[in-house]
Amino acid sequence: MHINLIIVMEKRFGVKFAAAEIAGMKGEDQNVGTLVQLLEQKLSRTKAIRP
Amino acid sequence: MSVTSLEFLLLLFLGAAVFFRLPSARLRQLAFTAGTAGFVYSYVPDPARWVVLLGFVLSGYGCAELLRRRPSRVLFTSYIILLIATFAFLKKYDFLKPCIPERFLDLHLQIVGLSYILFRQIHFIVDVMQGQIERPALWAYINYQFNPFTLLAGPIQRYQDFQEYWVHPVPSLHDRHAVLTAYLRIFTGVIKVVVIAKVCCGSYDGLLGQLGGAGPLSPGGWRAAAKLILMLYYYLFYLYMNFSGYCDIVIAGASLVGLRLPENFNSPFLARNILDYWSRWHITLGHWIRDYLFTPFYKTGAERFPRHTQAVAVAGYFVAFTLAGIWHGSTWNFFIYGLLHGAGASAAKLWENAIIRYAGRPGLRKYLRSAAIRWAAIVATFHYTCFSLFFFALDLGQGQQILGRLLKSFAADY
């Protein structure tokens, strides 16, 4: 996954991807869907924390 | 105990034969720990080094536990600086010599496998700090760090993958064919290390003796230059056979006890540029450099200077590869080796960007599909990596001496 895409998503959605998560997205079987899924997980966790 | 020694291979085969006959995961873990302790003891017999080694490794676990409970950037940064400083001290880096009295550097505390322990430790701490390792267990962590299959020279395995195995140590080879293939791979690895690498090393040493000796070079400059190129070919093949053979033995050996290790080589001589090379040669190191040096550097730089991402990427390649070069050895030549690979990686990226700018993505695809360009790139990359090995195989004094003699030889010709 292109690192610039990850930077833009971090900025747009206010989340941070860990080094291991970014590394996991470099695999050949990974695609934009994987990134979106991970983003959704992060956003749902953020919502759960916020009152 | 070398991994190509008869003792190691016999113990491995005996251990593998009984390992899955042990009825519980706990007994298998105990057997793994006993094997690990014996292996480490064969390399580190004296208690002073045990203390240093355990202190180095356990400090990582302690720091990770603190960071897991209360993440702190200050603690994280301070620990990483301290860890790298301790590593540099134990490895007696040349640049420390003017700063630290000789009597401290001569404490004879050099420890085998420390370079790879450092990489695993940094990965472990970063991943714990970022919430990617939720419940690290001390016993699993110690076995992860001292795992005899990865202790000496990689491959660099992720803690998460080791922990998965550690909790459920079950067979990974499911039929007779897979087991026989693993034995064949071990045998191939031994042949590569003990026979082919030795022959290449002998030829390299012979040419080094001729080029670096005290007598005059004969009969001419061009022939001496050809010998130098041949010497670097031999060195590259020696490194490849020795290291890939070692990886064959440990990857196949680990699979006999159910542990899957990542592959470390994928036809490196077919790389079409330096970035491609590091995704084929010592793959796990290449990935580590990308994930823990280049990406954090690039992310930080690109966030601060969004209009200059290309310059940030070039700086990132230089920083990442120079640090990786220094990690390979404690003398200044490794610094130059790292710089050369930083330059090669930057050139590859800039070239790709230039093609995209002038011909667009379709132009890049056409460029990548061209067989003639592909082979030209492969030959150029192969020779560039050979050239960089001049600063890997020889320290600066030796290199200077050989180049000086070569120039004199050319001067005598004309």
Side-chain angles (χ1 to χ4, degrees):
Chain A
M1 202 61 60
H2 203 289
I3 186 70
N4 287 332
L5 180 60
I6 288 169
I7 293 170
V8 170
M9 287 178 82
E10 283 188 344
K11 204 171 170 185
R12 172 70 182 80
F13 294 100
V15 292
K16 280 275 170 204
F17 290 101
E21 289 171 331
I22 298 171
M25 282 185 269
K26 299 273 182 188
E28 280 178 9
D29 52 342
Q30 306 295 306
N31 54 35
V32 177
T34 324
L35 180 60
V36 171
Q37 210 173 3
L38 187 61
L39 178 68
E40 280 173 349
Q41 281 172 13
K42 282 188 173 290
L43 289 174
S44 63
R45 248 179 275 155
T46 316
K47 272 181 197 162
I49 293 166
R50 279 182 193 152
Chain B
M1 191 194 300
S2 154
V3 296
T4 52
S5 67
L6 200 58
E7 302 99 290
F8 178 83
L9 293 172
L10 284 176
L11 284 171
L12 171 67
F13 296 153
L14 279 173
V18 296
F19 192 72
F20 290 116
R21 306 221 177 260
L22 298 171
S24 67
R26 182 48 64 110
L27 281 175
R28 289 172 191 175
Q29 288 171 350
L30 275 172
F32 193 98
T33 306
T36 298
F39 186 79
V40 178
Y41 183 76
S42 74
Y43 276 102
V44 190
D46 82 88
R49 287 183 204 200
W50 267 99
V51 171
V52 173
L53 190 55
L54 277 173
F56 193 88
V57 168
L58 292 178
S59 71
Y61 183 80
C63 180
E65 267 299 293
L66 287 175
L67 288 170
R68 189 173 68 83
R69 288 173 193 180
R70 185 174 292 183
S72 156
R73 197 151 279 278
V74 176
L75 174 64
F76 171 76
T77 312
S78 315
Y79 179 75
I80 293 291
I81 291 170
L82 189 67
L83 186 73
I84 292 170
T86 310
F87 173 78
F89 172 74
L90 291 172
K91 295 283 279 187
K92 297 183 186 175
Y93 272 85
D94 271 5
F95 59 78
L96 288 179
K97 283 178 184 165
C99 327
I100 297 180
E102 196 72 22
R103 65 178 187 279
F104 288 115
L105 288 172
D106 280 345
L107 285 175
H108 300 291
L109 287 173
Q110 277 188 309
I111 295 162
V112 75
L114 201 66
S115 304
Y116 286 88
I117 289 176
L118 176 78
F119 274 171
R120 287 192 290 269
Q121 197 134 311
I122 291 174
H123 139 71
F124 179 74
I125 290 163
V126 169
D127 281 14
V128 168
M129 164 102 169
Q130 296 181 338
Q132 299 300 304
I133 298 173
E134 287 185 350
R135 284 170 172 261
L138 180 59
W139 195 13
Y141 173 72
I142 289 174
N143 278 279
Y144 166 68
Q145 277 290 29
F146 294 123
N147 176 4
F149 297 109
T150 54
L151 177 69
L152 301 178
I156 305 167
Q157 191 186 26
R158 292 165 71 243
Y159 175 81
Q160 294 89 323
D161 296 335
F162 181 82
Q163 193 181 29
E164 199 178 308
Y165 162 76
W166 188 250
V167 176
H168 302 290
V170 291
S172 62
L173 307 173
H174 296 295
D175 54 43
R176 192 178 151 76
H177 178 259
V179 174
L180 288 176
T181 306
Y183 279 106
L184 181 65
R185 190 170 180 187
I186 292 173
F187 180 69
T188 311
V190 172
I191 298 289
K192 276 172 154 179
V193 175
V194 176
V195 182
I196 307 175
K198 283 260 161 68
V199 169
C200 292
C201 188
S203 305
Y204 162 78
D205 283 339
L207 287 170
L208 180 63
Q210 289 177 34
L211 291 166
L217 273 175
S218 61
W222 288 108
R223 186 165 282 201
K227 277 184 183 175
L228 178 61
I229 294 168
L230 190 62
M231 183 184 92
L232 293 175
Y233 285 166
Y234 276 129
Y235 191 75
L236 180 59
F237 285 119
Y238 156 68
L239 274 188
Y240 176 68
M241 286 299 167
N242 195 45
F243 195 16
S244 71
Y246 164 85
C247 288
D248 286 336
I249 296 168
V250 294
I251 292 171
S255 73
L256 293 178
V257 292
L259 178 60
R260 286 176 200 271
L261 293 180
E263 289 295 336
N264 227 9
F265 288 91
N266 176 22
S267 312
F269 303 135
L270 292 180
R272 58 184 300 156
N273 59 49
I274 290 297
L275 287 173
D276 189 22
Y277 173 78
W278 281 103
S279 66
R280 291 166 174 272
W281 172 284
H282 205 342
I283 297 168
T284 56
L285 173 66
H287 287 178
W288 194 96
I289 293 169
R290 181 195 69 194
D291 300 336
Y292 295 98
L293 288 177
F294 176 78
T295 302
F297 182 94
Y298 180 80
K299 270 181 76 184
T300 310
E303 279 163 7
R304 286 197 182 177
F305 309 103
R307 287 173 187 276
H308 305 285
T309 50
Q310 188 159 283
V312 172
V314 167
Y317 287 129
F318 271 100
V319 169
F321 280 104
T322 305
L323 289 174
I326 295 171
W327 168 85
H328 274 93
S330 58
T331 46
W332 283 106
N333 51 304
F334 290 101
F335 175 76
I336 299 174
Y337 175 77
L339 278 181
L340 285 171
H341 279 261
S346 304
K349 197 69 198 166
L350 291 173
W351 183 242
E352 187 187 290
N353 288 348
I355 293 170
I356 293 171
R357 199 174 309 127
Y358 292 113
R361 290 269 168 197
L364 179 66
R365 277 195 289 275
K366 196 176 164 192
Y367 172 85
L368 292 174
R369 274 201 303 268
S370 161
I373 291 174
R374 177 179 165 75
W375 283 106
I378 287 171
V379 171
T381 305
F382 177 82
H383 285 89
Y384 188 79
T385 51
C386 271
F387 166 66
S388 71
L389 285 178
F390 185 79
F391 298 96
F392 191 95
L394 309 167
D395 64 37
L396 290 185
Q398 276 178 308
Q400 210 173 355
Q401 189 192 2
I402 287 177
L403 288 181
R405 282 163 56 79
L406 197 65
L407 287 176
K408 272 186 195 166
S409 187
F410 271 115
D413 283 354
Y414 298 103

